[in-house]
Amino acid sequence: MKGKPVADAITIRAKEEAERLKQNGVYPKLKIVRVGEREDDLAYERAAVKRMETCGILCEVLTLPLDIIHESFIKELKAVDEDKTVHGILLFRPLPKQINENEVKFIISPEKDIDCLNPINVAKVLEGDKSGFPPCTPSAAMEILKYYNVNLKGSNAVVLGRSMVVGKPMAMLLLKENATVTICHSKTNNLPNICKKADILVAAIGKSNMISEDFVKDGAVVIDVGINIDDGNITGDVKTQECLNKVSLITPVPAGVGSVTTAVLAEHVIKSCKQINNK
Ligand code: NDP
């Protein structure tokens, strides 16, 4: 399940919607807030800026110094949130230690919180309330499953990983689509046995090539969310080549889930813009 056709389809939708909004005098805009110059933030930022350009969405980047004090950071973020021309805010994390994320997550208004930092959006994911914004990565994984017509209703889904940005929201999104979901983590006993029962296996653990064919049921659909650097190469959490004989469908790394996230980001900006402007 390559990500590109999925991303292309979402991009076309977002572009059409951006055009429609502009004809109504509304210019959708994303603001990216980055503290410091982490290489993975910069790589994602470049991809996001390019995607917004393709979709006809305005995009600005606010870069703040790594040693910015908490109070100044809050002031800057509040100013971005209060800017009426901005519809969606993407804040790169983790933030430096001096900044208290527990305060930060309440600063971005839920309507502009397109990557699910604000607890109100987290609650909406739990409730299955589609007016909110689940994080872009699990949303991208769901878009892939939808695009490739994977049946989720009644399926047995196993999610490896329980982070707030991938594992937990992924489990909730699968549950919303009527899958029966098991969440696994580093303290789970008999991991291969649990995984082997999965019709849908989602790996989001950040351990290069950990998931071998021994974890995979015949005919399973596997989503590899992992992005790891292993010996200079980008690898997933799944041993893709080894599992190819067993799976019915699998996402590659790179060119899988990661290539769909900026398209979802664009779609979220359009959605926030429409909701804010009642268009
Ligand atoms: P975290 O480190 O926050 O979470 C990892 C999760 O995996 C934890 O819940 C942890 O369990 C669990 N885990 C770790 N080791 C094992 C193990 N041996 N067995 C079972 N479970 C284990 O990572 P993220 O959720 O942020 O990211 C996960 C992966 O997804 C990473 O590779 C990351 O790079 C990638 N990613 C990809 C994106 C994309 O666009 N494709 C975007 C975001 C992330 P515990 O809770 O017990 O510690």
Side-chain angles (χ1 to χ4, degrees):
M1 295 181 285
K2 289 224 164 106
K4 189 171 183 308
V6 188
D8 288 348
I10 299 170
T11 301
I12 290 168
R13 288 203 303 263
K15 197 174 170 181
E16 283 170 3
E17 284 295 294
E19 198 48 51
R20 197 181 61 77
L21 284 163
K22 284 188 255 183
Q23 279 164 9
N24 283 291
V26 180
Y27 289 78
K29 192 204 268 189
L30 169 69
K31 188 95 174 196
I32 298 175
V33 180
R34 170 167 49 80
V35 182
E37 310 270 328
R38 276 166 37 124
E39 193 38 58
D40 49 348
D41 290 350
L42 289 168
Y44 190 66
E45 182 181 302
R46 281 191 292 273
V49 168
K50 199 168 152 206
R51 180 78 64 187
M52 297 311 133
E53 204 178 293
T54 309
C55 294
I57 295 171
L58 299 171
C59 182
E60 286 174 4
V61 182
L62 172 65
T63 311
L64 299 167
L66 199 55
D67 60 355
I68 188 168
I69 60 166
H70 175 78
E71 291 72 18
S72 308
F73 177 78
I74 296 290
K75 202 171 147 211
E76 294 277 1
L77 193 60
K78 271 188 180 157
V80 173
D81 192 63
E82 284 161 11
D83 182 343
K84 289 204 164 23
T85 70
V86 171
H87 305 102
I89 301 170
L90 175 67
L91 170 65
F92 286 122
R93 286 171 291 157
L95 293 163
K97 278 200 283 292
Q98 74 275 16
I99 299 174
N100 178 0
E101 282 200 27
N102 281 332
E103 188 177 339
V104 169
K105 63 189 179 190
F106 292 99
I107 304 293
I108 302 178
S109 324
E111 311 80 67
K112 297 188 179 186
D113 175 38
I114 51 166
D115 200 24
C116 202
L117 181 58
N118 190 305
I120 289 183
N121 277 322
V122 177
K124 285 188 178 186
V125 178
L126 280 175
E127 286 174 5
D129 177 342
K130 290 199 167 176
S131 72
F133 300 95
C136 292
T137 301
S139 301
M142 293 303 289
E143 289 287 345
I144 290 174
L145 290 167
K146 196 162 103 188
Y147 184 90
Y148 289 99
N149 291 318
V150 175
N151 174 51
L152 298 176
K153 189 175 168 188
S155 69
N156 194 14
V158 172
V159 179
L160 290 170
R162 56 174 164 180
S163 74
M164 289 299 284
V165 281
V166 191
K168 280 180 187 161
M170 184 74 214
M172 290 304 121
L173 295 174
L174 287 163
L175 188 61
K176 169 87 180 148
E177 296 304 322
N178 297 310
T180 303
V181 186
T182 305
I183 306 176
C184 301
H185 46 79
S186 66
K187 310 293 183 293
T188 300
N189 290 332
N190 301 322
L191 196 61
N193 287 347
I194 296 171
C195 294
K196 262 200 135 140
K197 297 199 174 90
D199 304 310
I200 319 279
L201 181 63
V202 181
I205 49 182
K207 297 273 180 276
S208 177
N209 292 320
M210 194 187 110
I211 306 305
S212 66
E213 62 176 345
D214 298 337
F215 290 67
V216 177
K217 172 176 151 178
D218 278 328
V221 173
V222 177
I223 299 273
D224 189 355
V225 182
I227 298 182
N228 314 290
I229 304 292
D230 192 348
D231 226 356
N233 298 313
I234 298 178
T235 60
D237 292 340
V238 180
K239 279 187 177 151
T240 315
Q241 283 306 320
E242 184 181 298
C243 294
L244 276 176
N245 302 326
K246 286 191 129 180
V247 299
S248 64
L249 290 165
I250 187 166
T251 56
V253 179
V257 177
S259 52
V260 182
T261 48
T262 57
V264 168
L265 187 70
E267 200 162 52
H268 282 187
V269 179
I270 296 292
K271 179 175 158 186
S272 63
C273 183
K274 283 162 75 175
Q275 288 182 175
I276 290 169
N277 291 284
N278 288 319
K279 297 278 183 195

